[in-house]
Amino acid sequence: MELDKYQRRYHKFSVNITESSKLALRIYFLVRKFYNITRDNISRRDVFRLAISNYQQWFQETLVFWIQTFRTECMTRIEKALEIDKDVVLVTSRCKFSNSSVDVLACFAKITEEWKAIDFHDPDSSLMGVTKITDLICDGARLYVQKIQNILERNCYYDDEEKTFNVTDRLCITLNNIEHVRQYLNELPQLLEWETVVSRISSTHENDRIGTQAHSTLARLLSTTNKEIIMKSSLLLTQITEKMKVDMAAYMDIFTRKRPEKASSVDKLIGYMSVNLKTLHDKMMTPTYYRMIEHLWPTMVTLLDQKMLSGERPEYYYQMKQHVKALISYFVRGGLLERQVNNPVFEALKTRLDYNTMSTEDLLLAYYDNIADDMGTPLEYFGHLALKFAYIEETRGNITIYVKVIRGCDLPGLDVTGLSDPYVILSLHPSTMFGHVKPQRTRIVEQTLNPVFNTSFQFPNVPRDYIDIQGAVVLLSVFDYDKIGNDDFAGEVLIRLSSIPKISMSQTVDSASVVMMALQRPSASLEGPFQVLVERKSWDKTAKTFLADRKRYLEHHRPRTDRPSKLTNFFSFLTGDKT
């Protein structure tokens, strides 16, 4: 009782608590030894008469201070272990740890052993003790990892400041220390007998839910610490990757800029990576090694995307694909999994390479195919066109495409009057496939937003095979006629040739169903096939002509001058526009 009073009085002074707790723990073990000797030498009936049989209750309050002492000594030992850490302890022929991690784990082991020796029978006290010890070991592991991180940053990741940064044994050992300590945490449920403690608490309170909550709390402590340590380890690996990045970039210049046509020009980069990955593979713990590989690959891909030239001819990008294949093969041999290869960064690079190796005609098809995919509900409403379309098979493998423009509905007003003088231009695209087919247009309907055209058009002598080509489209562009200056672009719709139904020779386009298609205004988004067309316009006349023609559709979007209809307001509501 007097010892309890002393500890309550000096609980803020760690030295006092440590010394008194050690004394109390020695007394506890002596009392237990006396009780065990007495119990073994008297009858079972007399054991229950002994007041000393409840000796653990005498130390109920002191238990908290024992655990506090464990924490104080643990944190102090971690600090000292890192201060005197000079030697390397060989654990296996492949992995090395320094003395600090071995000492820290010895400290953790001593705490768990002492707790087992205390062997408190009261389920509530036992659960409290296991929870606090799990927490203090997790805190100790976090402290150790933070100190390791500080040491690495202070020593510049053991960079010897030579021209080339190489991963050293010492760096691997330091990273191994982190993984060594982290893996110990996974042994705590067995070492501290979580299942037994949880089972006792459930039985005592006759409530399985209490046991489940207790186990969940313990698991959460461990899981949170594991995630934090892995995150810090990943941060360190990222910093190491950044140091390697400088040399990777220099070697990458050889095959992206200096000698891209030479298949062996990638060998210098692979040679540099081989030196470092061998050190990592031989000296680093397996989980850390694979995390390092995971960090290196996206960095390599991002760097390649930055170094790769733009606007080159397709042959250049075919060669880049070969270099990328060589790098993939190397990393897979090094342990990278296929799902790790195909990450979002790599998919973006692969898409860029695929587009750049396309012919200009294929790029145009991809561009129109992408726009046709977007012909759903527009983000901003510019009205509809009512259309009918069909095709008839002719002789010699050709077809004739028929399009009837019936009317426009709720088109945007682009004149100062709030009205427009709309007309529609119909054309087949891409022009490389339909260069022989001239665009056609409706008449101009003056001063209206709901023009009635009722005009049919036909495009004969279209090869039958074109129907099945993705990206082959009929483009209907709506303009507002101006007597002075250029006509204003109102919007456009695209009809995929593959979506046009077939009719018989005896039928006309009037037999087809009416289709209402919403007008869109395309954006000049510099990505995908459009970006490649922009990049190659300096040497590709077809790309240059396409961009010059497309410019009027992309850059001159005059705002509507009419009062928005209810349908327009509805679309604005959907997109969050409160104007």
Side-chain angles (χ1 to χ4, degrees):
M1 293 294 290
E2 292 300 321
L3 191 57
D4 288 343
K5 290 178 182 178
Y6 175 85
Q7 289 184 318
R8 284 196 297 272
R9 183 175 181 180
Y10 293 100
H11 70 278
K12 292 184 179 180
F13 301 93
S14 59
V15 175
N16 300 57
I17 293 299
T18 298
E19 293 303 320
S20 60
S21 292
K22 288 180 179 179
L23 176 61
L25 193 56
R26 284 198 295 271
I27 294 171
Y28 170 81
F29 285 129
L30 287 171
V31 171
R32 187 172 69 180
K33 185 177 181 180
F34 175 74
Y35 167 73
N36 289 337
I37 293 171
T38 305
R39 181 195 60 192
D40 294 341
N41 288 279
I42 62 175
S43 66
R44 183 176 297 180
R45 185 177 61 181
D46 291 336
V47 168
F48 292 103
R49 297 177 182 176
L50 289 175
I52 198 174
S53 62
N54 296 319
Y55 71 94
Q56 286 193 338
Q57 294 180 8
W58 305 345
F59 296 90
Q60 197 83 35
E61 191 171 343
T62 310
L63 177 63
V64 176
F65 295 107
W66 291 344
I67 296 172
Q68 184 178 330
T69 299
F70 291 163
R71 174 179 287 274
T72 302
E73 292 193 332
C74 177
M75 300 307 168
T76 302
R77 188 166 173 180
I78 289 172
E79 296 276 3
K80 288 182 178 178
L82 286 165
E83 287 175 8
I84 62 174
D85 192 0
K86 295 179 181 178
D87 301 323
V88 173
V89 177
L90 185 62
V91 178
T92 72
S93 60
R94 288 191 55 219
C95 295
K96 293 179 180 178
F97 313 118
S98 68
N99 275 338
S100 65
S101 69
V102 176
D103 198 29
V104 167
L105 295 193
C107 175
F108 292 164
K110 183 180 178 183
I111 291 171
T112 58
E113 288 167 6
E114 287 201 2
W115 174 251
K116 282 184 179 180
I118 290 171
D119 190 25
F120 243 70
H121 297 156
D122 176 61
D124 291 306
S125 299
S126 180
L127 176 61
M128 181 273 292
V130 166
T131 304
K132 285 187 173 293
I133 287 173
T134 300
D135 186 46
L136 84 84
I137 289 177
C138 287
D139 284 347
R142 277 195 289 263
L143 174 65
Y144 179 75
V145 172
Q146 183 60 54
K147 294 288 184 181
I148 288 285
Q149 183 179 5
N150 295 342
I151 290 170
L152 279 174
E153 290 174 351
R154 190 166 58 247
N155 289 280
C156 298
Y157 299 87
Y158 304 124
D159 187 356
D160 54 13
E161 297 186 359
E162 292 185 0
K163 286 186 177 180
T164 301
F165 173 82
N166 284 308
V167 176
T168 62
D169 289 2
R170 191 178 180 191
L171 180 57
C172 291
I173 291 167
T174 308
L175 291 169
N176 285 345
N177 286 341
I178 294 175
E179 184 62 21
H180 193 201
V181 169
R182 188 191 71 81
Q183 287 186 356
Y184 179 85
L185 299 179
N186 298 326
E187 300 175 19
L188 286 180
Q190 288 75 38
L191 293 172
L192 295 175
E193 300 177 345
W194 283 9
E195 294 298 333
T196 302
V197 172
V198 167
S199 177
R200 284 178 183 171
I201 201 76
S202 295
S203 299
T204 300
H205 294 278
E206 298 181 350
N207 189 335
D208 290 339
R209 187 178 177 184
I210 293 175
T212 302
Q213 289 176 341
H215 193 280
S216 176
T217 300
L218 291 167
R220 187 167 58 251
L221 286 172
L222 213 56
S223 173
T224 302
T225 306
N226 253 311
K227 288 177 181 176
E228 285 184 24
I229 292 176
I230 289 174
M231 184 181 70
K232 285 187 179 293
S233 178
S234 295
L235 181 61
L236 293 173
L237 296 178
T238 300
Q239 295 300 322
I240 294 167
T241 303
E242 285 297 309
K243 283 190 165 288
M244 294 178 66
K245 189 175 174 180
V246 177
D247 298 303
M248 288 160 60
Y251 290 119
M252 207 169 279
D253 277 340
I254 298 172
F255 69 86
T256 58
R257 296 166 186 254
K258 296 177 182 177
R259 295 192 296 276
E261 75 289 344
K262 199 171 181 180
S264 61
S265 59
V266 74
D267 292 349
K268 289 279 188 180
L269 175 61
I270 291 177
Y272 169 73
M273 297 303 299
S274 295
V275 170
N276 286 282
L277 287 188
K278 186 178 187 308
T279 303
L280 291 167
H281 185 269
D282 292 346
K283 305 299 181 183
M284 193 173 275
M285 290 184 71
T286 302
T288 311
Y289 168 76
Y290 284 115
R291 284 202 293 273
M292 186 68 191
I293 288 285
E294 282 187 69
H295 277 76
L296 280 170
W297 174 244
T299 301
M300 177 79 73
V301 173
T302 302
L303 200 56
L304 179 55
D305 188 52
Q306 294 168 354
K307 288 287 182 180
M308 197 164 61
L309 299 176
S310 299
E312 298 296 308
R313 295 179 183 272
E315 294 77 16
Y316 171 84
Y317 300 100
Y318 277 118
Q319 193 59 56
M320 289 302 106
K321 279 190 172 184
Q322 296 307 310
H323 294 323
V324 170
K325 283 183 180 178
L327 290 172
I328 291 173
S329 177
Y330 174 75
F331 270 87
V332 169
R333 288 198 307 273
L336 193 69
L337 301 177
E338 186 176 344
R339 61 176 175 79
Q340 294 168 334
V341 171
N342 297 314
N343 57 32
V345 180
F346 175 73
E347 289 299 325
L349 175 67
K350 184 174 178 293
T351 300
R352 182 185 171 192
L353 286 169
D354 288 342
Y355 279 137
N356 275 279
T357 51
M358 285 182 179
S359 66
T360 300
E361 183 173 287
D362 286 339
L363 284 171
L364 293 172
L365 285 168
Y367 172 74
Y368 285 113
D369 190 48
N370 289 346
I371 294 180
D373 280 341
D374 294 336
M375 295 303 294
T377 302
L379 295 178
E380 188 175 358
Y381 183 63
F382 295 104
H384 280 75
L385 284 181
L387 307 167
K388 290 187 176 186
F389 42 83
Y391 77 88
I392 293 176
E393 286 202 16
E394 307 287 358
T395 57
R396 299 179 182 177
N398 290 332
I399 63 171
T400 297
I401 296 173
Y402 295 89
V403 180
K404 184 173 184 178
V405 183
I406 302 170
R407 62 176 297 164
C409 304
D410 201 28
L411 300 182
L414 300 175
D415 291 339
V416 292
T417 60
L419 300 173
S420 289
D421 305 312
Y423 65 93
V424 183
I425 296 178
L426 295 85
S427 52
L428 299 185
H429 292 274
S431 59
T432 52
M433 292 171 58
F434 301 102
H436 64 287
V437 181
K438 293 183 178 181
Q440 303 181 52
R441 58 180 284 178
T442 66
R443 62 188 176 86
I444 299 168
V445 182
E446 296 182 350
Q447 293 298 287
T448 181
L449 302 181
N450 298 284
V452 177
F453 298 107
N454 276 329
T455 307
S456 296
F457 302 89
Q458 59 181 355
F459 298 93
N461 300 320
V462 175
R464 172 66 180 79
D465 295 344
Y466 285 10
I467 284 287
D468 301 319
I469 296 177
Q470 288 293 104
V473 298
V474 180
L475 177 65
L476 294 92
S477 306
V478 181
F479 287 90
D480 166 44
Y481 173 74
D482 287 330
K483 293 181 180 179
I484 301 175
N486 295 325
D487 295 346
D488 297 318
F489 174 65
E492 65 184 13
V493 299
L494 285 87
I495 306 170
R496 292 181 185 274
L497 265 58
S498 59
S499 69
I500 298 177
K502 178 183 175 182
I503 57 175
S504 66
M505 295 286 288
S506 60
Q507 292 177 299
T508 66
V509 71
D510 287 318
S511 64
S513 301
V514 176
V515 178
M516 297 290 289
M517 300 191 72
L519 266 66
Q520 301 261 24
R521 285 186 175 181
S523 61
S525 178
L526 283 178
E527 59 183 25
F530 187 82
Q531 180 178 354
V532 178
L533 288 165
V534 171
E535 290 169 352
R536 65 169 59 172
K537 67 180 179 180
S538 61
W539 56 267
D540 190 317
K541 290 183 179 179
T542 303
K544 187 176 181 179
T545 302
F546 162 78
L547 293 169
D549 179 65
R550 196 68 181 147
K551 185 176 181 180
R552 66 190 297 212
Y553 299 90
L554 299 173
E555 296 182 359
H556 304 293
H557 292 175
R558 185 173 178 180
R560 61 192 304 163
T561 58
D562 60 313
R563 294 180 62 186
S565 68
K566 291 181 179 179
L567 189 56
T568 304
N569 289 332
F570 174 70
F571 276 89
S572 297
F573 168 75
L574 287 179
T575 57
D577 187 358
K578 298 181 181 180
T579 57

